[in-house]
């Protein structure tokens, strides 16, 4: 009972000052020094039919597009952007569009260690004046927020939701640091697995009772790690007929992917020629694959994925990169009788199911490290350089 009391005292002090801290993580560019901003913002009023949430933990995600202007009471970071450069960005090679070693911001984006989204877990601090006493939520409840359209642009110590339907209550078995990984990374992975399930069943039916459906997962960051776990659970009934291979974009992938004995690992070393990488992948998968789930987010990784995909196969990519990549590759995929499918964010029902599965221990969360929110700038730099194993979680408040 100590936590609600502590929470009340901190809340009272903050409300007296009418200000609270906010961290905004913008889309990383060629330099990461200007993509994380800290502000003091007004403590939001509680909406009549909603709630105010005391944010405890937040997954380190960024906004996909930088807003043209950011208003705040005070900022501790410069808002000056890097100057635009004719012909491209510094540290980005002109031919392939791939980042070079001079642009660490893009390494984390390639391997899925850092991705756009909104991930918040916290405690219900106040309920609106028009919320029924018989509703499913009470002050002090531990919740996770579904990233609905219109979520705040940054992570603040206090946030509001105008409707309680966007909240999912957490069981005691899920720490708030784990819960903060669920609303974007894990949910997108679950949405992708559910989208691929239909194709897995069709492929298994076509190949007969002894046939095997081969799946290639590209990437070893948070998205791919969740994908491995959720796919293993989803296809457990047919595990002997579903083969999963992970194309690791960094050495760490071998250590993490080896957690799953049934998962093969192949390293996509960018220093090798494309032909060598494709041959290496085909050897690891024992031939062409049926399904590719590509979180690599680059033209080069998608091109390579299509080369490893068999006739009639399908590649799943995030909707965040679909507009950029699908126009380049749609015709090529059609010529090879392949499909490229865009996968969007999952539903709140899927988030509820995910919470239930993780809470019961049926899906084990990937490794994660908790950092104070004040270190957000350094955390993003490390993520962009792929220096943090698993997920990075920002802690705004301790309930211990």
């Amino acid at each position: 009972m100590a936590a609600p009391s502590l929470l009340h005292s901190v809340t009272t002090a903050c409300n007296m000052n009418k200000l609270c801290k906010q961290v905004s993580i913008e889309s990383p560019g060629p330099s990461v020094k200007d993509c994380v901003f800290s502000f003091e913002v007004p403590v939001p009023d509680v909406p009549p039919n909603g709630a105010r949430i005391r944010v405890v933990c937040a997954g380190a995600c960024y906004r996909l597009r930088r807003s043209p202007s950011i208003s705040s009471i005070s900022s501790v970071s410069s808002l000056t952007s890097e100057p635009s450069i004719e012909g491209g960005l510094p540290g980005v090679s002109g031919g392939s569009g791939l980042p070079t070693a001079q642009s660490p911001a893009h390494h984390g984006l390639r391997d899925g260690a850092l991705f756009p989204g909104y991930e918040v877990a916290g405690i219900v601090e106040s309920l609106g004046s028009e919320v029924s006493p018989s509703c499913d939520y009470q002050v002090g409840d531990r919740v996770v927020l579904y990233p609905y359209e219109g979520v705040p642009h940054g992570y603040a110590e206090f946030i509001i939701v105008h409707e309680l339907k966007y909240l999912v209550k957490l069981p005691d078995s899920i720490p708030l640091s784990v819960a903060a990984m669920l609303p974007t990374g894990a949910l997108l992975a679950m949405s992708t697995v559910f989208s691929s399930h239909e194709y897995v069943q069709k492929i298994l039916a076509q190949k007969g009772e002894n046939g095997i459906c081969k799946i290639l997962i590209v990437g070893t960051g948070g998205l791919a790690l969740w994908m491995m776990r959720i796919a293993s659970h989803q296809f457990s009934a047919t595990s002997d007929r579903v083969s999963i291979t992970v194309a690791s974009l960094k050495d760490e992938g071998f250590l993490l992917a080896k957690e799953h004995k049934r998962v093969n690992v192949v390293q996509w070393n960018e220093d090798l020629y494309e032909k060598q990488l494709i041959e290496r992948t085909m050897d690891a998968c024992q031939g062409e694959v049926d399904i590719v789930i590509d979180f690599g987010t680059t033209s080069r990784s998608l091109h390579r994925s299509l080369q490893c995909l068999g006739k009639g196969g399908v590649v799943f990519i995030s909707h965040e990169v679909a507009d950029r990549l699908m126009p380049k590759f749609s015709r090529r995929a059609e010529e090879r009788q392949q499909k490229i499918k865009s996968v969007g964010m999952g539903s709140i029902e899927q988030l509820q199911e995910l919470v239930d599965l993780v809470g019961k221990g049926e899906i084990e969360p990937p490794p994660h490290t908790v950092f104070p929110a004040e270190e957000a700038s350094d955390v993003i730099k490390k993520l962009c350089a792929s220096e943090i194993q698993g997920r990075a979680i920002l802690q705004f408040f301790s309930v211990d």
Side-chain angles (χ1 to χ4, degrees), residues 113-276:
L114 183 64
F115 45 82
Y118 195 81
E119 297 182 322
V120 160
I123 298 171
V124 176
E125 182 264 347
S126 299
L127 291 170
S129 58
E130 297 181 14
V131 172
S132 171
S134 61
C135 78
D136 294 334
Y137 296 93
Q138 297 180 354
V139 172
D141 281 348
R142 302 161 67 254
V143 294
V144 64
L145 175 63
Y146 177 74
Y148 61 94
E149 185 73 24
V151 292
H153 288 170
Y155 295 134
E157 292 178 287
F158 291 91
I159 62 172
I160 58 173
V161 290
H162 291 276
E163 298 182 71
L164 299 180
K165 67 179 182 180
Y166 297 120
L167 297 176
V168 175
K169 195 180 297 187
L170 296 168
D172 293 338
S173 56
I174 300 184
L176 288 172
S177 60
V178 171
M181 294 190 284
L182 303 181
T184 293
L187 185 57
L188 177 58
M190 172 169 273
S191 176
T192 307
V193 169
F194 281 21
S195 297
S196 68
H197 185 81
E198 167 190 352
Y199 291 89
V200 171
Q201 297 305 311
K202 287 182 179 179
I203 291 166
L204 292 178
Q206 291 171 358
K207 294 191 174 185
E209 59 182 47
N210 295 321
I212 295 178
C213 176
K214 300 176 184 178
I215 301 176
L216 176 65
I217 298 174
V218 179
T220 46
L223 291 175
L225 293 174
W226 274 114
M227 176 62 62
M228 288 165 48
R229 287 158 169 76
I230 295 172
S232 296
H233 178 270
Q234 179 71 15
F235 303 126
S236 58
T238 55
S239 59
D240 57 334
R241 299 188 60 201
V242 176
S243 170
I244 299 176
T245 300
V246 175
S248 170
L249 299 174
K250 55 184 177 180
D251 293 338
E252 180 195 61
F254 283 91
L255 298 176
L256 298 179
K258 287 294 185 183
E259 297 175 9
H260 297 264
K261 296 180 180 179
R262 289 182 172 271
V263 174
N264 302 317
V265 183
V266 57
Q267 187 178 23
W268 278 10
N269 187 330
E270 300 293 354
D271 294 332
L272 297 179
Y273 290 110
E274 283 297 298
K275 184 178 180 181
Q276 293 174 298

Side-chain angles (χ1 to χ4, degrees), residues 25-93:
I25 304 171
E26 301 291 325
S27 178
S31 172
V32 299
K33 68 180 181 181
D34 63 341
C35 69
V36 179
F37 309 97
S38 296
F39 309 117
E40 287 183 338
V41 298
V43 174
D45 293 331
V46 184
N49 294 299
R52 184 164 58 203
I53 308 301
R54 180 39 145 136
V55 175
V56 177
C57 291
C61 299
Y62 67 90
R63 290 180 62 208
L64 187 60
R65 288 178 294 275
R66 177 167 298 174
S67 60
S69 64
I70 303 176
S71 60
S72 68
I73 295 175
S74 66
S75 169
V76 298
S77 297
S78 169
L79 300 184
T80 303
S81 302
E82 291 292 314
S84 59
I85 294 180
E86 192 77 26
L89 296 172
V92 179
S93 60

